Amino acid sequence: MDTVREALEKINIRGQLRQSEPMAAHTSFRIGGQARFYALPDCLEDIQILRQWALARGIPSFYLGGGSNILVSDSGLDSLVIDLSLLGGYERRPEGIYAQAGILSDSLCSAALREGLFGMEFLAGIPGSLGGAIYMNARCYEAELADILISVDILKDGRVESVAMDPGQWAYKRSPFQAGGAHAGAIILGALLNLKEGERSDIQRNMEDKRQDRVAKGHYRFPSAGSVFKNNRAFGEPTGKILDRLGFRGMRYKSAAVSDYHANIFINPGAATASDMAALMDIAQERVQRGHGFQLEREVILVGDFS
C-alpha cells in the first residue's frame, strides 16, 4: 500500500492529500471509520489527476460533497475519497447562477439572496453540497432541485460535458446520476440554475422561515442526516407520521437514536456507531413492512462494508 509520501511523489496536485483520514469528521452524522486516502482537489485538473492515479492502481474512488446524506461504515473506506468542498465558487449569469458542485447548499442560498434572486429558498438551512443535492434531486417544501436546473457539468469517461435538463430523467428524489440513470457514474462538477430576480426582503423572509422550521423540528440538535427515509406519496401520509405512530420518536438502539422531535430523523447522541445506526434503520423498515405491508426506501446512502 502506498504511503502518503509515496503517493505525494506520484501525484502532483494543487490541493491536499492525506492518508487514514477519519470520515467521521466529514459527515453530518459524525460517524465513520478512516479513508485509506483522502484528497481535497482545488481545480478540475486535480480531479483528473486523482482519477487517473486511482484507476491505474485499481483503487476505488468515492466523491464526497457535504457528507450530509451518507453513513460511512465503522471499518472505513479502502479507497480514495475525493472531497470536492474546495470547489465551491459561483458566478452570476443572465439565466441565474452557475455554481460549482462543492458549494454548500445553504451558502448558495445566501449567495442568491445577495444577488436578489429567488428560487433557492426551499434549500435554506439544509446541510450538504450542491453536488449532493443534484445527485439526490433534493426535495422539501413541495419544491425540488430539478425545478430550477438548466444544465449540469459533469466529468464522465475522462471528458467534461454539459448535460441539459431533461425532465423525463428526473423524478421524486431521483436523478440521472444515480445507479441505473443515463449518467450514472459521472462526477458532478457544477450546475447552471434558473433563478429569477425578486425582492430581497421577500427572499430573506422565505429563507428564514425554512431555517426556523428546521430548527423547530430539531434538525440541528444532534448530528444527523436529516430524513432517513423517503416519503412515498402512495403510503398516504409522511414517513415521519408512520414511524411516530409506531413509537419510533425518541427510540434508541444501542448507541443510535431517533430524534425526540421527528420520527424520520435518526441522530447520533454522542458516540453512535455506523453498525448501530444501520441496525436502527433496518428495525424501522421491518416494523413498517410488518405493520403496513410496504417497504420504506432509505434516503441515506450506506458507504463501505456493512456485512
Side-chain angles (χ1 to χ4, degrees), residues 136-253:
M136 296 299 297
N137 190 19
R139 178 183 176 87
C140 43
Y141 305 112
E142 302 303 317
E144 62 185 20
L145 206 290
D147 295 337
I148 58 173
L149 197 59
I150 296 174
S151 62
V152 182
D153 288 349
I154 62 172
L155 178 64
K156 188 174 184 180
D157 300 325
R159 299 189 306 275
V160 177
E161 57 183 282
S162 183
V163 177
M165 171 62 185
D166 179 353
Q169 296 178 348
W170 298 74
Y172 171 72
K173 295 194 175 178
R174 296 290 300 176
S175 81
F177 307 105
Q178 297 177 23
H183 303 290
I187 304 161
I188 297 171
L189 301 174
L192 181 59
L193 303 174
N194 181 20
L195 305 178
K196 304 300 183 182
E197 292 187 358
E199 291 293 331
R200 283 186 175 84
S201 58
D202 293 338
I203 297 169
Q204 184 172 21
R205 183 169 54 252
N206 198 335
M207 288 184 178
E208 189 59 27
D209 286 346
K210 303 299 186 291
R211 292 189 179 104
Q212 289 305 314
D213 183 58
R214 290 187 164 99
V215 169
K217 292 176 179 176
H219 280 233
Y220 312 124
R221 288 179 173 267
F222 293 96
S224 78
S227 295
V228 169
F229 300 104
K230 296 180 181 180
N231 286 313
N232 188 329
R233 293 171 182 268
F235 297 165
E237 58 185 338
T239 298
K241 288 188 176 181
I242 295 170
L243 291 172
D244 199 2
R245 195 165 56 250
L246 291 172
F248 270 82
R249 190 186 302 202
M251 178 183 288
R252 287 180 173 256
Y253 176 79

